[in-house]
Amino acid sequence: MNYTAKAYNKALKELSKRRQASLEENKRRQSYVYAQLPEVRAMQESQQNTRYELMKIIAVHDPNASESASKVKENNISTAQRIKLLVKDLTGDENYLEPTYVCNECKDNGYKEGMMCDCLRDLIKRFMVEELNESSTIALHDFSEFCEDFYDNPDTRNRMIGYKIYFERYCDHFPTGSRSMLFMGKTGLGKTFFSSCMAKSLGERGFTVAFDSAPDLFRHIEDEHFGRSEGNTLDTLLDVDMLILDDLASEFQSQFYESALYNILNGRINLKKPTIISTNLTKSEFYSRYNERITSRVLYQFVPFQFDGKDIRMVKSVSKISKKVK
């Protein structure tokens, strides 16, 4: 697993916070129980003393060490059971005094038996996605910002309203039955706007979303491939819950970029993970631009959404000018 030092350090810092929170919660619980049941603290201290006693028995090589050690262990087990009964009567949970961890496998240390725990690996992936999105120049938007007045054609307006409702429901029910989508149409018709709304909505629901322009993402992959930067953008894009490739076909045409695009598409399809692609290309232009392996996956395995109408940026500009004139 390739990752950046920044993502790794942030993951370790997060685990440190979790351990500190666990320690503070455990202290709070102890204080509560000790105040109500002072005998519990006395029994726990007795257990600690018998552990030292057990270590002494083992150290002196007493011929009766085995028998003595067994008695000490039995007493500790009995004491532990009494403590659990008392604590359960007080709190309803016999394990109330046990430390609480987000990850019980590694106890929030990140490593178990010298191997990286899945919790640390997942945190690194999450921070890799955040790091990738930090470099994106695309602003996130909210569905509430949608303005149907930007579409003066009734058919277009109704279709855009329908798209909004569909995309909102898609996010609400994600990932159940989530399919990949292809946004097609000329520039300025709302493709990037709706993509950003979905990215924000899914992110707020706790899903990992990578959202950037195709040229920028391919450039990251290329730089890492040739050792010009650290990280593994390709694996990150394959792993996220949702990938949004904005403005596909605006990237420089090269065999490397085309190969990267195929690997992303094919990998995510095999993993059954949805992708959203927006492009200014028509279907015929798509066939001319990309090879058959890519076009067959995008044009036949993605749900198409056609965007048309007037350039919203131009509509906004005209609206502002009109208001100033008035």
Side-chain angles (χ1 to χ4, degrees):
M1 177 187 180
N2 292 327
Y3 47 79
T4 63
K6 181 180 178 181
Y8 179 72
N9 290 331
K10 285 183 73 173
L12 291 182
K13 188 175 181 179
E14 175 62 25
L15 288 176
S16 178
K17 288 181 181 179
R18 291 179 181 180
R19 291 195 301 275
Q20 183 61 32
S22 174
L23 179 63
E24 291 174 359
E25 173 62 13
N26 191 241
K27 286 182 177 179
R28 185 192 68 77
R29 292 187 176 197
Q30 284 181 341
S31 297
Y32 170 69
V33 172
Y34 293 163
Q36 304 297 318
L37 302 170
E39 62 270 34
V40 169
R41 168 177 274 182
M43 284 189 283
Q44 285 187 331
E45 290 175 350
S46 174
Q47 279 183 310
Q48 186 62 42
N49 292 333
T50 55
R51 290 192 188 98
Y52 293 137
E53 183 181 338
L54 182 60
M55 292 172 63
K56 289 179 181 179
I57 291 172
I58 296 172
V60 297
H61 303 293
D62 188 330
N64 299 318
S66 179
E67 182 180 348
S68 301
S70 293
K71 288 181 179 180
V72 171
K73 289 178 181 178
E74 287 175 7
N75 287 335
N76 274 348
I77 292 173
S78 178
T79 301
Q81 289 173 340
R82 289 201 302 274
I83 290 173
K84 284 193 171 187
L85 285 173
L86 289 170
V87 171
K88 185 176 182 180
D89 286 341
L90 176 66
T91 68
D93 180 8
E94 65 176 18
N95 296 312
Y96 187 76
L97 290 178
E98 295 296 320
T100 55
Y101 302 105
V102 175
C103 178
N104 290 317
E105 289 296 316
C106 69
K107 295 180 173 51
D108 294 337
N109 285 297
Y111 287 88
K112 182 181 179 182
E113 298 176 355
M115 300 294 290
M116 183 182 287
C117 185
D118 287 341
C119 71
L120 176 55
R121 190 174 286 106
D122 290 342
L123 281 172
I124 292 172
K125 288 178 181 178
R126 191 183 93 193
F127 290 127
M128 287 280 284
V129 175
E130 289 183 7
E131 195 174 323
L132 189 62
N133 288 338
E134 283 173 3
S135 64
S136 174
T137 58
I138 303 174
L140 295 183
H141 292 277
D142 193 272
F143 284 114
S144 62
E145 298 174 42
F146 173 77
C147 181
E148 60 185 69
D149 294 338
F150 290 144
Y151 303 94
D152 55 5
N153 181 287
D155 291 336
T156 300
R157 185 188 305 119
N158 289 333
R159 184 162 60 255
M160 292 302 109
I161 292 172
Y163 284 0
K164 173 181 178 287
I165 294 170
Y166 179 87
F167 297 149
E168 285 182 306
R169 288 177 178 171
Y170 181 100
C171 292
D172 289 341
H173 296 94
F174 190 87
T176 305
S178 299
R179 297 187 61 187
S180 293
M181 296 184 281
L182 175 64
F183 295 174
M184 305 183 76
K186 294 180 180 179
T187 186
L189 301 180
K191 301 187 301 298
T192 299
F193 169 76
F194 276 122
S195 294
S196 69
C197 290
M198 296 180 76
K200 183 172 186 266
S201 178
L202 292 173
E204 289 175 345
R205 286 169 169 77
F207 296 103
T208 53
V209 183
F211 178 34
D212 205 349
S213 68
D216 287 343
L217 290 175
F218 291 147
R219 198 175 301 116
H220 283 302
I221 295 171
E222 184 180 40
D223 287 343
E224 291 160 4
H225 179 79
F226 291 104
R228 294 192 290 266
S229 65
E230 61 174 351
N232 195 334
T233 297
L234 181 58
D235 279 358
T236 300
L237 299 184
L238 289 174
D239 189 67
V240 290
D241 298 318
M242 169 61 79
L243 168 62
I244 302 177
L245 275 176
D246 191 59
D247 207 14
L248 185 67
S250 63
E251 75 277 4
F252 178 75
Q253 277 191 283
S254 74
Q255 187 175 352
F256 182 87
Y257 283 4
E258 194 162 286
S259 176
L261 175 59
Y262 172 77
N263 287 334
I264 292 169
L265 294 174
N266 193 57
R268 290 188 62 81
I269 288 171
N270 289 337
L271 291 169
K272 294 181 173 54
K273 293 193 172 188
T275 304
I276 296 174
I277 290 176
S278 71
T279 182
N280 297 339
L281 297 181
T282 62
K283 279 192 176 182
S284 59
E285 290 171 336
F286 210 95
Y287 277 112
S288 300
R289 172 73 184 241
Y290 296 105
N291 62 48
E292 185 180 355
R293 296 191 306 168
I294 291 174
T295 55
S296 65
R297 282 163 175 78
V298 174
L299 297 181
Y300 298 108
Q301 296 192 43
F302 283 54
V303 180
F305 290 85
Q306 185 64 46
F307 288 71
D308 53 31
K310 294 181 180 178
D311 188 327
I312 294 174
R313 299 182 187 91
M314 182 182 70
V315 174
K316 286 181 178 179
S317 177
V318 171
S319 177
K320 288 180 181 178
I321 292 173
S322 299
K323 287 179 181 178
K324 287 181 179 180
V325 171
K326 290 179 182 179

